[in-house]
Amino acid sequence: MMQCTDIHDRFLFRLISKKAFLYTEMVTTGAIIHGKCLEQLNFNREIEHPVAVQLGGSDPTDLAICSKICSSLGYDEINLNIGCPSERVQKGSFGACLMQDPELVKDCIVAMQEATSIPITIKCRIGVNDRDDINFLNEFVAKILNPSLKTIIVHARVAILTGLTPRQNRQIPPLKYENVYQLKHEFPGLEVVINGGIKDVDDSLEHLNKVDGVMLGRSPYDNPMIVSNVDSKIFNEIDLGKDRQTVLREYLQYCLHQLDQGHPLSRTLKHIFGLNRGLKNAKSFRKLILETIQKNNLEVTQEDLISMV
Ligand SMILES: Cc1cc2nc3c(=O)[nH]c(=O)nc-3n(C[C@H](O)[C@H](O)[C@H](O)COP(=O)(O)O)c2cc1C
């Protein structure tokens, strides 16, 4: 998620779950090729796996070049964004508008697959504009599928390409989970991952009766501790078992270390607002985070912050 799932946020999530599959923000091929976002592609190799990078682009040659770069960096998967409806992205002819051009999507996927041996996946919507019927998604997938494309993530809403902001496009079109379930029914050999409006692990387990995977965006970002039982409930492994205070203590140590390396508190502390989600002192917690960023004095406030979660 843009402005959210950066390297710091992913570090925070790895303090809570060792198994959840993490995704970067979308990085455009243009930015990579022009060398503008090398920092954005960075990740913590020792702790962050499994982690996927998401690319935005529609030129097969550029996507192949970027796939090669991302693969050499050590990512576990490369995901192509075919779901972003923003105007800026449409101007670049990528994101959700690509669902209207399955031939090009097919060429992009093949070019990426030929450039690397790590899995290439896509993330799309159920359709675009007035095409929110089951046939549209099934036909789109039938046209782009090849034997090496094994996983598709579907945000269970249409993307409306004119008149809605990206935020509205995540709220206004209704969720149609049934279309995603039908996709799995139509293509039983394909790994289908469902996304959109899924709140927590229990909610995920319901969907897992019908599809192979779930992707959660806003709810864990707004309340990171909801992934604390992912390892046991989804992967049958032992949870890390840390409480909020332990997670925050470890993350604040990381923030101090990052500060020494030149990464400002504004970049690292912005991810902790949700750590006291559901507690009474949300307002004062928020205020103290903002003050800490402003005064650049985490060493002074860290124990107070920890006591508030
Ligand atoms: C701030 C923000 C940034 C997002 N950036 C991306 C992105 O870079 N790539 C992407 O595929 N989806 C992006 N999304 C969409 C989410 O990944 C997800 O598909 C959508 O929010 C629905 O899932 P949710 O209800 O679990 O949040 C973003 C969503 C938000 C709120």
Side-chain angles (χ1 to χ4, degrees):
M1 285 161 50
M2 309 276 284
Q3 314 290 328
C4 298
T5 59
D6 61 15
I7 188 170
H8 309 301
D9 188 49
R10 299 193 306 267
F11 184 92
L12 172 62
F13 275 94
R14 272 291 168 261
L15 293 175
I16 310 173
S17 162
K18 59 182 185 305
K19 294 292 290 182
F21 208 112
L22 303 176
Y23 284 76
T24 67
E25 308 162 86
M26 178 177 72
V27 190
T28 64
T29 51
I32 297 176
I33 287 168
H34 298 117
K36 281 188 196 153
C37 64
L38 296 178
E39 203 191 329
Q40 221 181 334
L41 283 182
N42 210 359
F43 71 96
N44 290 296
R45 281 164 193 76
E46 295 79 32
I47 60 143
E48 224 181 285
H49 293 290
V51 58
V53 58
Q54 187 184 62
L55 296 180
S58 60
D59 181 90
T61 309
D62 288 352
L63 282 164
I65 293 168
C66 294
S67 298
K68 215 169 243 171
I69 293 171
C70 293
S71 163
S72 71
L73 290 173
Y75 280 102
D76 299 296
E77 171 187 315
I78 303 172
N79 176 267
L80 179 63
N81 183 319
I82 311 181
C84 180
S86 88
E87 254 178 49
R88 189 181 62 87
V89 160
Q90 283 187 62
K91 272 197 193 125
S93 305
F94 59 99
C97 63
L98 281 177
M99 287 193 83
Q100 296 168 318
D101 193 348
E103 283 304 314
L104 178 57
V105 174
K106 189 177 181 170
D107 291 346
C108 290
I109 293 169
V110 170
M112 294 167 79
Q113 288 168 334
E114 285 173 353
T116 173
S117 57
I118 64 170
I120 302 299
T121 63
I122 63 161
K123 176 163 178 267
C124 63
R125 298 276 185 136
I126 55 169
V128 280
N129 297 332
D130 58 341
R131 293 304 306 270
D132 64 353
D133 51 294
I134 289 164
N135 287 345
F136 180 84
L137 180 62
N138 287 350
E139 282 165 19
F140 172 74
V141 171
K143 284 179 190 155
I144 63 161
L145 210 53
N146 73 46
S148 304
L149 179 66
K150 299 198 188 306
T151 306
I152 295 189
I153 304 163
V154 189
H155 180 178
R157 286 186 172 92
V158 278
I160 307 286
L161 296 178
T162 44
L164 294 188
T165 64
R167 189 187 164 90
Q168 290 171 323
N169 250 309
R170 292 188 290 265
Q171 288 166 342
I172 293 176
L175 285 161
K176 293 199 157 190
Y177 295 134
E178 198 52 44
N179 295 35
V180 188
Y181 301 156
Q182 283 297 324
L183 181 72
K184 177 66 192 175
H185 188 73
E186 193 75 15
F187 300 92
L190 185 65
E191 186 177 65
V192 174
V193 178
I194 196 164
N195 166 247
I198 304 170
K199 291 191 175 49
D200 54 24
V201 172
D202 287 336
D203 206 5
S204 303
L205 288 167
E206 292 287 315
H207 287 284
L208 287 173
N209 291 320
K210 306 258 179 51
V211 289
D212 306 290
V214 290
M215 174 187 262
L216 280 68
R218 287 165 292 186
S219 83
Y221 189 79
D222 293 343
N223 183 3
M225 290 308 286
I226 65 160
V227 305
S228 62
N229 58 356
V230 161
D231 296 357
S232 62
K233 287 205 167 181
I234 307 284
F235 295 98
N236 283 323
E237 292 208 6
I238 297 168
D239 289 324
L240 289 169
K242 295 176 194 166
D243 62 14
R244 290 175 198 245
Q245 291 203 332
T246 307
V247 169
L248 184 55
R249 187 175 294 283
E250 289 180 9
Y251 187 69
L252 294 183
Q253 281 307 308
Y254 166 83
C255 296
L256 285 169
H257 181 69
Q258 290 298 307
L259 191 58
D260 285 345
Q261 309 290 310
H263 299 283
L265 293 175
S266 55
R267 300 281 296 279
T268 50
L269 288 186
K270 72 174 184 173
H271 300 303
I272 67 169
F273 288 111
L275 271 180
N276 89 335
R277 181 85 176 186
L279 304 180
K280 284 193 187 119
N281 50 8
K283 228 175 177 179
S284 13
F285 185 62
R286 200 179 171 81
K287 197 165 156 239
L288 190 55
I289 295 169
L290 295 174
E291 265 174 33
T292 305
I293 293 171
Q294 205 180 21
K295 295 186 182 156
N296 204 27
N297 65 347
L298 178 57
E299 290 204 15
V300 177
T301 59
Q302 62 175 327
E303 287 306 324
D304 286 338
L305 285 168
I306 292 165
S307 73
M308 294 167 95
V309 302

